[in-house]
Amino acid sequence: MIGGRATGAFRGRIRVEQSAQQTDSQQISRTILLSDRSRAWAVPSLEIIADDVQCTHGATVSDLSEEELFYLRSRGLDTNQSRNLLMYAFADDVCSEVDPVMLQSVDSEEGLQSRLIKRLQNVVPQGERAVRGEFQSS
């Protein structure tokens, strides 16, 4: 997720050598833009030398879906709650792919999940920012 006037860049490269037959490789970059001023650059790259492989790559960059926001609002959530729910769901989707050991640590303040929630609280609109819909980092 990228908000405010931030810019994010992803440049991924997968190279499958001749000796790596029957490789199954996947590379995907998904980015959500939280403001009109934020930018994201995604350049996935796939180079295959081997013959017997299954490899995919792709990238998506989008803002929060108006259809999803409408659906949540039609179910009784306000705009702010709808945006927050979608943002936390996106982050949870990322966390579901991370080893649980990395999400938590002995000191719960240092676990990846705790740090992510703290960062999201800076991005999630509050007060007047929530009404304007423009998210700028603190």
Side-chain angles (χ1 to χ4, degrees), residues 35-89:
S35 78
D36 292 339
R37 295 179 184 166
S38 58
R39 300 285 180 258
W41 307 103
V43 183
S45 174
L46 182 58
E47 184 177 355
I48 302 173
I49 311 299
D51 297 335
D52 185 17
V53 298
Q54 284 189 328
C55 298
T56 62
H57 69 294
T60 60
V61 177
S62 68
D63 56 2
L64 293 173
S65 167
E66 286 299 322
E67 290 89 16
E68 292 170 349
L69 289 169
F70 175 78
Y71 177 82
L72 292 171
R73 288 192 311 262
S74 71
R75 298 302 185 264
L77 298 177
D78 64 27
T79 302
N80 190 35
Q81 292 170 326
S82 300
R83 291 184 71 84
N84 292 353
L85 182 63
L86 291 175
M87 289 167 45
Y88 278 95

Side-chain angles (χ1 to χ4, degrees), residues 103-112 114:
L103 292 176
Q104 302 169 344
S105 69
V106 176
D107 179 6
S108 62
E109 294 294 315
E110 294 180 12
L112 177 62
S114 296

Side-chain angles (χ1 to χ4, degrees), residues 106-130:
V106 176
D107 179 6
S108 62
E109 294 294 315
E110 294 180 12
L112 177 62
Q113 194 166 26
S114 296
R115 292 192 330 242
L116 180 60
I117 288 170
K118 284 181 184 176
R119 293 270 175 122
L120 277 176
Q121 288 170 347
N122 281 338
V123 175
V124 169
Q126 298 174 7
E128 291 181 18
R129 291 188 314 166

Side-chain angles (χ1 to χ4, degrees), residues 9 18 20 53 78 98 125 131 136:
Q18 180 66 35
V53 298
D78 64 27
V98 176
V131 176
Q136 297 179 2

